[in-house]
Amino acid sequence: MTARIALAYVGDTVDAAGYRLAGARVFTPAAGEEATALAHARDIAQVVLLSRDVAAALPRGELEAALASLQPLAVIVPEGGEISPLDPAERVRSQLGLER
């Protein structure tokens, strides 16, 4: 079995630069290539961070499957402290008053 890298980020180039400096493998897909980038990131990483824009561009079923999977763990990165309408766990925590 091939060793996986710890962290991958799939999103825009500006945020990707920061994640790259932190040691993550980054993917900045062109429009329409988001699903391919996510699949590649999931193949090589233990944790995959998705920008909100990439998550919104993915087919709903594919996004839900990635978020539900524990191997690798996939998370939508919140932007500006906002709750992502795409992440069901964030919605539930917010509705229960568990968000800060």
Side-chain angles (χ1 to χ4, degrees):
M1 183 171 157
T2 305
R4 289 178 172 245
I5 62 170
L7 183 66
Y9 171 77
V10 184
D12 65 273
T13 57
V14 173
D15 289 335
Y19 284 102
R20 185 178 295 112
L21 288 173
R25 172 75 191 271
V26 299
F27 301 90
T28 55
E33 298 294 323
E34 295 88 358
T36 302
L38 173 60
H40 188 61
R42 292 187 73 207
D43 284 343
I44 66 167
Q46 295 173 353
V47 177
V48 177
L49 303 177
L50 299 167
S51 74
R52 196 169 169 178
D53 291 339
V54 166
L58 290 167
R60 188 66 173 199
E62 212 167 311
L63 175 63
E64 289 176 356
L67 294 175
S69 176
L70 297 178
Q71 290 294 325
L73 181 64
V75 180
I76 299 171
V77 179
E79 294 180 14
E82 293 181 22
I83 295 170
S84 171
L86 302 170
D87 189 347
E90 285 186 36
R91 279 197 318 267
V92 169
R93 285 191 300 270
S94 175
Q95 290 169 349
L96 294 174
L98 301 174
E99 292 294 321
R100 290 183 189 191

